[in-house]
Amino acid sequence: MASWGSLQARLLVLGLAPGVRGANRTGRPFTGDYAGMLLYETLTRFGFADGRYGADPDDGLRLRDTRVANAVRCVPPANLPQPVEIRTCNGFLRDELAAMPALRAVLCLGVVSHNALLRARGLPASRQPFKHGQVLQLPATGDGLPPLLLADSYHVSRYNTNTGVLTTAMFEAVVGDLAERLNKPGGG
């Protein structure tokens, strides 16, 4: 599944994997299922997107200074990626990060994307465990990737929202904080 948005973006939203009923069917990340509704409506509210999300790649929604990608590039069996898939796809994520020269922050949706980002940056996940709402400052890497902010949120999946693990207010708080940080002088 291809990423969506400009390689010149300062923000990368990193999900888990394409959903079989959503992105895999429509060809655009987080499009065609509930997760996209919460994600794109929140991104629009905080200035990271323009237009209206209509669950269709032709809905006219446009990302602003934002790119959306997944830690795993293919729909995983039973919608849950296996560790070997996550490791195999990590090279794609490393390439994605290296291709984004203006990147200043990554919004990781869930523990799998959090750990995949750390791995792609050469950092052990055990030292910086996932925690909803946290923002970490990651150092520059030895291979030339600049420092960047890692912001964690529970995944925007229907399961998480239906069970109350993630509420709209909780997700908006994370994205709002990240917008504020990126809009400060020096932006991240």
Side-chain angles (χ1 to χ4, degrees):
M1 164 69 45
S3 301
W4 181 46
S6 172
L7 286 169
Q8 300 305 313
R10 291 185 307 148
L11 173 64
L12 177 66
V13 177
L14 188 61
L16 175 61
V20 69
R21 289 181 197 88
N24 199 55
R25 180 178 55 78
T26 65
R28 186 173 81 182
F30 290 94
T31 299
D33 57 23
Y34 177 79
M37 187 182 317
L38 178 57
L39 175 65
Y40 291 124
E41 287 177 2
T42 303
L43 291 178
T44 299
R45 178 175 178 181
F46 290 98
F48 294 113
D50 287 319
R52 192 180 75 70
Y53 173 72
D56 182 296
D58 295 323
D59 57 15
L61 184 71
R62 294 172 315 281
L63 296 177
R64 294 181 59 216
D65 205 18
T66 302
R67 187 166 172 87
V68 180
N70 283 301
V72 175
R73 299 195 32 134
C74 309
V75 175
N79 216 23
L80 185 63
Q82 299 300 304
V84 68
E85 292 174 287
I86 298 166
R87 284 191 305 274
T88 299
C89 289
N90 203 256
F92 294 114
L93 179 54
R94 272 194 305 277
D95 292 347
E96 182 97 19
L97 297 171
M100 296 183 69
L103 184 64
R104 295 298 169 261
V106 178
L107 172 58
C108 289
L109 302 178
V111 69
V112 171
S113 65
H114 169 96
N115 289 346
L117 177 66
L118 292 176
R119 177 186 208 103
R121 302 263 313 178
L123 299 168
S126 61
R127 287 201 186 146
Q128 298 173 326
F130 172 88
K131 181 180 176 195
H132 176 82
Q134 81 176 337
V135 177
L136 302 171
Q137 177 70 53
L138 301 181
T141 65
D143 57 356
L145 295 178
L148 79 113
L149 294 174
L150 181 165
D152 281 334
S153 174
Y154 293 123
H155 195 282
V156 292
S157 70
R158 183 174 286 283
Y159 176 81
N160 282 347
T161 57
N162 281 351
T163 59
V165 169
L166 180 67
T167 65
T168 299
M170 289 168 65
F171 188 58
E172 287 178 349
V174 170
V175 176
D177 177 62
L178 189 53
E180 190 175 300
R181 290 171 187 264
L182 283 172
N183 289 327
K184 282 183 181 176

